[in-house]
């Protein structure tokens, strides 16, 4: 076996990282509400496949063994050292893409200054035009340049989105900002979301002895260029909670699959993993995740079962001001080569093209959201109650009583006038009616809210947007993306050397076992 020197390992890491990162430069770009995304592209070789993920602002690289193309292995494959090596090397700098900035615009300016400094170094290096002649240091600088350009591009587009949304709210619009979940053990639930799905704790507080943590993909504030993320507010109860059967699942859409091993280590329970993933959190909440086109924020929707979809949709649209998003029906095709049916063989059987990689909501569901594009904001999916189905197990028998339980506390929506929201909703005269609770400042916090409960028992809280922004914590200064990139490269190098050592030990053990077995046969 060829000996792997540190220089050879380092060089391989840089080359794979650079190829994976630069292969997206010439890809066609797709516009999604002003956010540019790159379609997934694969570089296939005889031993490994490097996949470049299509999530906005990040590049996900995954190593896949030959024969692992089927859907079950896509989620159930073991983590390999080669995958970690490639992933860490290529994603190095992007780990800090959402680094917290102290004030609006500071993070973007910091990244621009980093890029300016790096470009000066690249120009001074006088690199050859032939990429094959680039030194390891030159390759690293080009990879760092791409990482910075990607980060800046995202911050510019996301910053524009946040400004537009904040202005829309101030003009009477609304924005689904977070949901409140009660959990028996806060630490376990936080670990599930952060270590299992890569989210971050963006703020935490203790009010009247009750501990609360907010987990999100990036900052919540709409005043920050890296903000505007949907969050889960996890409230510790210290006792078991009843998750009920009303909240069906929380759905995420990402550009790359999470590590199944990390979800399991974080005490998550995997319930379904064929094409897409369903995992249950330590508190009992079901998470549904699939890999798809890039979203600004991975949180896509929450699915709620209701007794009367039509009446509930009427309430959320005409009282709450949401808009319906079309749920596309699967494409149909005729089996031209199949057997003939009906009228002497004149009619062919029609089939639906089923995409097993994307979860499909039950027929009769209604998808609702605010804003211009459902790809940029959180939504809700109203589910009917129907007969049981095997795939995913998301439907419940028709006629089953909807039990919201005490786990899913409420959905929080930002507005500029909570009192007007209550006034307008109280005028609604539809079949699904709402009852109001607290309207005014929250004791111990001071944020103005208007709390209501709809006819199915789900609670919503309208939150004053100015008070919400005032809740956001002060943040540290931005950190260097280049320093994070170089540190991750060093970590990848160390991992690769450790993997090489383990591989040598494994081969030695196998050789020893062969020798022992051979000696035993000789003595028989």
């Amino acid at each position: 076996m060829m000996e792997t020197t540190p220089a050879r390992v380092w060089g391989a890491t840089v080359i794979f990282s650079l190829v994976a990162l630069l292969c997206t430069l010439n890809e066609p770009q797709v516009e999604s509400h002003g956010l540019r995304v790159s379609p997934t592209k694969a570089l296939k070789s005889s031993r490994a496949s490097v996949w470049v993920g299509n999530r906005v602002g990040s590049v996900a690289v995954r190593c896949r063994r030959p024969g692992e193309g089927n859907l079950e292995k896509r989620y159930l494959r073991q983590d390999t050292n080669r995958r970690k090596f490639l992933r860490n090397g290529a994603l190095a700098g992007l780990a800090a893409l959402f680094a917290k900035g102290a004030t609006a615009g500071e993070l973007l300016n910091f990244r621009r200054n980093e890029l300016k400094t790096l470009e000066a170094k690249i120009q001074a290096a006088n690199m050859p035009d032939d990429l094959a002649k680039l030194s390891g240091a030159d390759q690293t600088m080009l990879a760092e340049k791409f990482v910075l350009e990607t980060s800046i591009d995202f911050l510019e587009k996301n910053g524009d989105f946040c400004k537009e949304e904040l202005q829309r709210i101030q003009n009477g619009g609304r924005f689904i900002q977070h949901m409140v979940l009660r959990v028996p053990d806060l630490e376990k639930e936080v670990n599930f979301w952060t270590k299992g799905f890569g989210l971050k704790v963006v703020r935490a507080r203790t009010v009247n002895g009750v501990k609360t943590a907010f987990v999100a993909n990036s900052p919540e504030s709409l005043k920050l260029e890296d903000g505007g993320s949907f969050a889960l507010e996890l409230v510790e109860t210290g006792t078991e909670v009843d998750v009920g059967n009303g909240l069906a699942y929380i759905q995420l859409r990402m550009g790359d699959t999470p590590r199944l091993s990390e979800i399991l280590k974080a005490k998550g329970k995997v319930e379904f993993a064929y094409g897409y993933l369903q995992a249950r959190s330590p508190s009992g909440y079901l998470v549904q995740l699939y890999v798809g086109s890039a979203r600004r924020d991975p949180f896509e929707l929450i699915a709620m079962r209701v007794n009367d979809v039509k009446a509930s949709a009427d309430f959320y649209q005409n009282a709450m001001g949401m808009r319906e998003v079309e749920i596309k029906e699967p494409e149909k095709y005729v089996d031209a080569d199949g057997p003939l049916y009906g009228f002497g063989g004149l009619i062919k059987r029609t089939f639906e093209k089923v995409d097993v990689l994307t979860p499909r909501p039950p027929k009769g569901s209604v998808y609702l959201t605010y804003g211009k594009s459902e790809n940029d904001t959180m939504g809700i999916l109203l589910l009917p109650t129907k007969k049981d189905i095997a795939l995913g197990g998301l439907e419940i028998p028709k006629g089953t009583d909807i039990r919201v339980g005490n786990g899913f506390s409420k959905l929080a929506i930002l507005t500029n006038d909570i009192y007007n929201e209550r006034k307008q909703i109280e005028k609604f005269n539809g079949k699904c009616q709402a009852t109001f609770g607290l309207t005014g400042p929250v004791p111990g916090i001071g944020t103005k809210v208007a709390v209501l409960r709809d006819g199915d028992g789900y609670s919503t809280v309208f939150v004053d947007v100015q008070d919400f922004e005032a809740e956001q914590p002060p943040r540290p200064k931005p950190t260097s993306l280049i320093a994070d990139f170089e540190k991750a490269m060093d970590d990848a190098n160390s991992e690769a050397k450790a993997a090489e050592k383990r591989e040598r030990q494994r081969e030695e053990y196998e050789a020893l076992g062969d020798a022992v077995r051979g000696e035993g046969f000789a003595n028989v």
Side-chain angles (χ1 to χ4, degrees):
M1 182 174 59
M2 182 179 67
E3 182 180 357
T4 304
T5 64
R8 187 171 290 154
V9 172
W10 180 87
T13 306
V14 174
I15 291 172
F16 270 110
S17 302
L18 185 64
V19 170
L21 292 170
L22 295 182
C23 76
T24 61
L25 289 178
N26 296 322
E27 287 186 329
Q29 301 297 307
V30 180
E31 292 292 326
S32 172
H33 191 50
L35 301 180
R36 191 177 61 178
V37 300
S38 299
T40 301
K41 201 167 186 177
L43 298 178
K44 296 184 178 179
S45 67
S46 59
R47 296 188 62 187
S49 297
V50 181
W51 293 62
V52 179
N54 58 2
R55 184 174 174 276
V56 175
S58 68
V59 181
V61 178
R62 177 172 73 247
C63 185
R64 186 169 60 114
R65 292 177 178 175
E68 288 189 345
N70 68 67
L71 299 175
E72 286 183 300
K73 289 187 177 180
R74 180 176 180 179
Y75 283 103
L76 300 176
R77 65 181 181 275
Q78 296 179 345
D79 292 323
T80 63
N81 291 309
R82 185 187 291 116
R83 174 186 174 179
K84 294 179 181 178
F85 174 52
L86 289 171
R87 185 188 185 101
N88 289 350
L91 290 178
L94 292 175
L97 177 62
F98 297 108
K100 296 178 179 179
T103 58
E106 184 173 358
L107 178 59
L108 182 57
N109 291 332
F110 189 89
R111 294 286 177 260
R112 286 170 174 165
N113 289 334
E114 276 193 289
L115 179 60
K116 185 177 180 181
T117 302
L118 181 61
E119 286 176 335
K121 289 176 61 178
I122 292 174
Q123 186 173 5
N126 193 24
M127 297 181 185
D129 294 332
D130 187 356
L131 291 178
K133 297 181 180 179
L134 290 174
S135 67
D138 291 342
Q139 295 174 23
T140 299
M141 284 193 290
L142 289 178
E144 291 171 343
K145 181 174 182 289
F146 176 83
V147 168
L148 279 170
E149 290 174 339
T150 303
S151 174
I152 290 170
D153 182 66
F154 171 80
L155 293 174
E156 290 174 343
K157 301 291 174 41
N158 192 72
D160 291 341
F161 167 82
C162 289
K163 289 178 183 177
E164 291 177 7
E165 283 300 297
L166 190 57
Q167 186 62 49
R168 190 178 63 82
I169 296 170
Q170 292 170 346
N171 291 335
R174 304 169 185 88
F175 182 82
I176 301 177
Q177 199 280 318
H178 72 268
M179 68 184 299
V180 183
L181 299 176
R182 295 188 179 96
V183 300
D185 189 315
L186 184 60
E187 183 178 358
K188 287 183 179 179
E189 194 73 15
V190 166
N191 283 340
F192 172 77
W193 289 100
T194 56
K195 296 180 180 179
F197 293 92
L199 302 179
K200 308 172 186 66
V201 176
V202 293
R203 57 179 169 135
R205 65 190 179 199
T206 300
V207 180
N208 298 326
V210 178
K211 296 180 180 180
T212 300
F214 291 76
V215 294
N217 187 58
S218 63
E220 300 171 89
S221 174
L222 287 166
K223 292 184 177 181
L224 296 170
E225 61 270 52
D226 59 337
S229 285
F230 179 84
L232 298 177
E233 180 181 354
L234 306 176
V235 181
E236 188 171 52
T237 62
T239 59
E240 292 299 318
V241 297
D242 176 18
V243 299
N245 63 8
L247 176 62
Y249 55 88
I250 303 167
Q251 182 162 296
L252 289 81
R253 189 175 83 204
M254 292 183 168
D256 189 28
T257 58
R259 293 184 180 181
L260 197 62
S261 60
E262 294 298 327
I263 294 176
L264 295 173
K265 283 195 296 184
K267 308 301 181 183
K269 180 182 178 182
V270 176
E271 297 197 349
F272 185 78
Y274 185 80
Y276 55 91
L277 174 69
Q278 288 179 358
R280 201 167 289 277
S281 78
S283 301
Y285 299 106
L286 186 64
V287 183
Q288 183 165 276
L289 179 145
Y290 71 104
V291 176
S293 58
R295 283 181 55 82
R296 189 191 64 86
D297 186 352
F299 281 104
E300 184 172 39
L301 57 84
I302 61 171
M304 306 184 300
R305 298 185 178 97
V306 294
N307 291 301
D308 187 331
V309 172
K310 185 176 180 181
S312 296
D314 180 41
F315 171 77
Y316 281 101
Q317 288 179 274
N318 296 311
M320 303 277 283
M322 293 186 178
R323 66 176 181 84
E324 183 175 357
V325 179
E326 179 186 3
I327 299 176
K328 294 182 179 180
E329 291 295 325
E331 185 180 349
K332 298 183 184 295
Y333 70 97
V334 176
D335 185 12
D337 297 326
L340 304 178
Y341 292 92
F343 297 99
L346 296 178
I347 300 178
K348 291 281 188 176
R349 180 173 289 182
T350 301
F351 295 90
E352 293 182 348
K353 291 185 177 180
V354 179
D355 179 9
V356 296
L357 300 179
T358 303
R360 178 183 172 188
K363 290 184 178 180
S365 301
V366 176
Y367 182 18
L368 303 161
T369 190
Y370 293 116
K372 295 180 180 178
S373 173
E374 62 275 12
N375 287 320
D376 301 326
T377 57
M378 186 65 168
I380 66 171
L381 183 69
L382 303 179
L383 300 177
T385 57
K386 294 184 177 180
K387 62 181 181 180
D388 285 320
I389 57 173
L391 184 61
L394 293 177
E395 293 181 328
I396 59 177
K398 186 174 182 180
T400 301
D401 292 333
I402 302 299
R403 194 180 78 258
V404 176
N406 63 3
F408 175 27
S409 177
K410 59 183 73 74
L411 184 68
I413 299 175
L414 298 183
T415 180
N416 71 334
D417 190 340
I418 64 162
Y419 302 101
N420 184 61
E421 294 290 357
R422 173 169 181 167
K423 181 179 179 181
Q424 295 302 318
I425 292 175
E426 286 179 332
K427 292 180 180 179
F428 177 69
N429 193 30
K431 183 178 179 180
C432 183
Q433 290 290 309
T435 56
F436 277 86
L438 172 66
T439 303
V442 177
I445 300 177
T447 300
K448 293 187 292 296
V449 301
V451 182
L452 67 88
R453 178 171 294 180
D454 68 17
D456 290 301
Y458 297 105
S459 294
T460 300
V461 55
F462 284 99
V463 181
D464 182 90
V465 65
Q466 299 301 330
D467 291 348
F468 159 77
E469 291 293 346
E471 283 187 24
Q472 303 308 306
R475 278 117 52 84
K477 297 290 184 179
T479 58
S480 171
L481 205 60
I482 298 303
D484 292 330
F485 185 95
E486 293 174 349
K487 181 181 182 301
M489 293 290 285
D490 292 338
D491 292 343
N493 183 29
S494 299
E495 271 194 39
K497 288 189 290 186
E500 181 68 22
K501 181 179 179 180
R502 290 192 294 270
E503 181 67 17
R504 288 199 302 269
Q505 290 176 340
R506 185 187 66 80
E507 291 182 351
E508 290 172 359
Y509 293 151
E510 288 182 352
L512 179 61
D514 291 341
V516 171
R517 285 191 293 272
E519 182 179 347
F521 289 137
N523 293 331
V524 173

